[in-house]
Amino acid sequence: MEKQVLKSEFYSRLYKWSANDAYREASNNFPFLKTMNDLHVSHTLEVVESFSKSQQIKMFVALTKNSYQLSGEYSNMDLTPEEKIMLGLFQKKQELLPHDKSKLHDIFYIKKSFLKIPIKELKKNIIKELFPIFGNPSEPGNHLPYMTIIENKWSISTLVSLDITGISYSHLVGFLPQGITFSNNEELYKKRLVFSNPISLPKWLGFKGGGWFFLKKEHPTIAAKTIAGACSHFLNAFPDLIDGLVS
């Protein structure tokens, strides 16, 4: 299967799964996203949560669906008339509550009240939480790479990036063509056919990206646990995303 065809079919499935996951996240009061302390994520949730609960769910699903078209990753959207209305309501409310009026704006840009956590401490935390899922990272450093092979033909490379004020992560999905063999990670990275853009919890839920920032002493631990939970959540969904994708 050609790379572009593979990518197109994969994103068709990821789009549908993301919409369902947006419903889960909104229905449960945004348990993953509220741990992030990311300005754009926080501002979006502030706007969404100014509406009734039923509107929040419809609005957040619509925003997630719309993000795929905005990014160019999937264009065959199936927005309902009601979801289009929700997008319009969101945009109007967002104009009344711009970023510089949001709760985190002063913390980010004026007070700059980030906690600075030693990289060594962050690394210990995140490695501990991710070990049951991925094992140990393949390299040390401030960027922790992990590689997961599924059914000997799919690869998911995960990169966790550490900074003294925050953590971010992403996955790249690849395909291992039949007959390709590798004896080490370097060969694998060269020979796999990567067909996805970076995928992460904020990305599949409609944001361009985002990280987990630290404003309180418990936030690094919460961030590590949330990222581990998000990685596990995606890996559990992955078999359905690739089922029958390649013969």
Side-chain angles (χ1 to χ4, degrees):
M1 184 181 286
E2 292 182 5
K3 179 178 178 178
Q4 195 51 47
V5 176
L6 190 60
K7 181 176 181 178
S8 177
E9 178 56 32
F10 176 77
Y11 270 93
S12 169
R13 298 175 181 204
L14 185 64
Y15 165 81
K16 292 169 186 172
W17 177 75
S18 294
N20 288 332
D21 203 53
Y23 183 94
R24 172 205 56 77
E25 185 74 4
S27 298
N28 291 285
N29 298 315
F30 308 100
F32 279 150
L33 292 174
K34 282 186 176 178
T35 66
M36 292 183 64
N37 298 314
D38 177 278
L39 180 59
H40 181 57
V41 172
S42 174
H43 177 248
T44 299
L45 296 187
E46 203 174 331
V47 174
V48 170
E49 290 190 310
S50 67
F51 293 88
S52 70
K53 186 63 182 178
S54 62
Q55 287 179 313
Q56 287 178 36
I57 296 170
K58 292 169 186 172
M59 184 176 289
F60 193 67
V61 170
L63 287 168
T64 298
K65 286 181 174 182
N66 195 47
S67 72
Y68 277 80
Q69 179 162 329
L70 294 175
S71 68
E73 290 172 335
Y74 187 72
S75 57
N76 296 327
M77 291 196 308
D78 55 350
L79 285 174
T80 66
E82 188 175 17
E83 286 173 337
K84 291 177 182 177
I85 291 172
M86 289 295 108
L87 287 178
L89 290 174
F90 175 84
Q91 289 163 359
K92 287 179 182 178
K93 191 59 175 277
Q94 193 176 40
E95 291 169 5
L96 297 173
L97 182 63
H99 272 89
D100 60 0
K101 301 296 182 185
S102 65
K103 293 175 183 176
L104 282 185
H105 181 269
D106 286 357
I107 292 174
F108 270 63
Y109 292 111
I110 299 176
K111 297 177 183 177
K112 297 183 178 178
S113 305
F114 294 117
L115 291 184
K116 294 183 178 180
I117 309 298
I119 292 290
K120 186 176 180 181
E121 183 181 331
L122 291 177
K123 192 182 297 185
K124 182 180 177 182
N125 243 345
I126 195 71
I127 288 176
K128 175 187 173 185
E129 294 297 335
L130 291 180
F131 182 79
I133 306 167
F134 299 122
N136 284 316
S138 55
E139 295 176 17
N142 296 351
H143 301 285
L144 303 174
Y146 296 88
M147 179 64 77
T148 305
I149 304 299
I150 297 171
E151 298 177 358
N152 288 321
K153 61 181 178 182
W154 302 100
S155 69
I156 301 177
S157 57
T158 303
L159 184 67
V160 180
S161 299
L162 305 174
D163 182 86
I164 58 173
T165 60
I167 306 178
S168 61
Y169 85 98
S170 64
H171 306 293
L172 285 176
V173 178
F175 175 64
L176 306 176
Q178 194 171 9
I180 291 292
T181 58
F182 55 90
S183 57
N184 56 51
N185 271 344
E186 186 177 350
E187 281 191 86
L188 169 59
Y189 275 93
K190 287 179 181 176
K191 293 178 178 179
R192 67 191 176 133
L193 179 67
V194 175
F195 59 87
S196 81
N197 297 327
I199 299 168
S200 65
L201 170 79
K203 191 76 172 64
W204 79 61
L205 288 178
F207 299 92
K208 291 181 180 179
W212 281 256
F213 296 97
F214 313 140
L215 302 175
K216 296 180 181 179
K217 63 180 181 179
E218 62 267 25
H219 285 169
T221 301
I222 292 171
K225 289 183 180 296
T226 304
I227 289 172
C231 288
S232 182
H233 184 54
F234 179 72
L235 287 177
N236 287 338
F238 192 71
D240 288 334
L241 294 173
I242 58 166
D243 183 38
L245 200 56
V246 217
S247 56

